Amino acid sequence: MCIRDRNKDVTLRPVIGINMSSIKGDFIGIGNNSLNSHFKIGYSLGFEIQKKMSNVFYGIVGLHYSLNGSKYSDYSNSSENMKWEVYDFYTNLHYMHLPILIKVDLFHSNFSAQMGIQVGWLFKATSHNGNRIFIKDDTKWIYDSESSGKAVTNVSFLYNKIDFGIPFRLSYEYKKGVFTLGYYMGLANICLLYTSDAADDLTRVD
């Protein structure tokens, strides 16, 4: 959601919203497990500058902090003497995004469409998961409570710093508020641990 004044040629707008993001491709986990990615909820904060170019066309430049990422399916693996189960597995990707958009008012109504390009800079990436560790004792698996638990790992080195893609938005203006539903199609390969090009999909509600 943002705030704007239709009567001004140049408008500075604060932006706050929630998003759902995932990373396309198959993640390679421990033991070469191929994991499916799922949508994860995040949020975005920032501002945008809007310049009126005609009665229906506007230019928009913004700067957003965005918490993106992806959730993954649970998996397990084992060796001769140890077995571990990974659950509640997700990544947090912390981005600064620079969107550059063209906005078009639709049918002289309160609806508008926006499209352009967006460049992102990743400044931190963390992996979060729970582990259940079992140690083999003769023929039985014994739960190892000391080794099990939650883990948070800095995995920034596994991701490319630069992301880019194409944002699409549909907005509705009500009084001085603007409500936006958007989709971001990532075009860059952002992760090094995927079997194919790993581009991020992002659905936003601002």
Side-chain angles (χ1 to χ4, degrees):
M1 179 180 177
C2 62
I3 300 171
R4 68 163 286 199
D5 188 342
R6 182 183 287 269
N7 296 320
K8 291 185 177 180
D9 287 342
V10 178
T11 306
L12 177 64
R13 317 183 303 176
V15 176
I16 181 171
I18 61 174
N19 63 55
M20 294 188 299
S21 60
S22 69
I23 302 175
K24 295 184 297 185
D26 293 324
F27 180 82
I28 300 300
I30 297 175
N32 287 333
N33 289 277
S34 183
L35 308 179
N36 294 323
S37 61
H38 308 282
F39 280 102
K40 172 185 174 296
I41 295 177
Y43 62 90
S44 58
L45 302 168
F47 66 90
E48 293 180 349
I49 298 174
Q50 178 173 279
K51 167 65 175 172
K52 186 175 182 179
M53 298 185 295
S54 72
N55 288 334
V56 294
F57 287 98
Y58 301 79
I60 298 175
V61 177
L63 184 63
H64 304 158
Y65 162 75
S66 185
L67 175 61
N68 300 349
S70 194
K71 294 186 68 174
Y72 300 96
S73 50
D74 298 346
Y75 69 94
S76 63
N77 205 357
S78 63
S79 62
E80 183 177 352
N81 298 312
M82 180 181 294
K83 179 172 67 174
W84 58 93
E85 300 174 350
V86 176
Y87 63 95
D88 194 20
F89 181 21
Y90 64 94
T91 55
N92 280 338
L93 306 180
H94 302 266
Y95 276 99
M96 293 302 299
H97 282 139
L98 176 66
I100 303 173
L101 306 164
I102 294 295
K103 172 185 168 181
V104 181
D105 282 344
L106 300 176
F107 313 114
H108 302 287
S109 68
N110 289 341
F111 287 95
S112 63
Q114 303 164 30
M115 182 179 174
I117 61 172
Q118 180 170 288
V119 178
W121 175 66
L122 177 70
F123 63 90
K124 186 178 181 182
T126 55
S127 172
H128 304 249
N129 64 273
N131 296 288
R132 301 186 187 96
I133 308 297
F134 299 85
I135 305 299
K136 194 170 187 179
D137 182 11
D138 197 10
T139 59
K140 296 181 179 180
W141 291 103
I142 307 300
Y143 178 67
D144 185 353
S145 59
E146 293 185 0
S147 301
S148 301
K150 298 282 187 175
V152 179
T153 307
N154 189 323
V155 292
S156 299
F157 65 97
L158 297 177
Y159 291 83
N160 292 319
K161 293 295 185 183
I162 302 300
D163 177 33
F164 63 90
I166 301 174
F168 305 89
R169 299 181 187 175
L170 182 64
S171 297
Y172 176 75
E173 180 180 351
Y174 179 72
K175 295 183 179 180
K176 289 191 175 182
V178 181
F179 300 88
T180 301
L181 178 64
Y183 174 75
Y184 173 75
M185 181 175 63
L187 300 178
N189 186 4
I190 64 172
C191 185
L192 306 178
L193 290 182
Y194 278 74
T195 57
S196 58
D197 286 349
D200 55 329
D201 281 335
L202 177 65
T203 301
R204 291 181 49 175
V205 179
D206 295 336

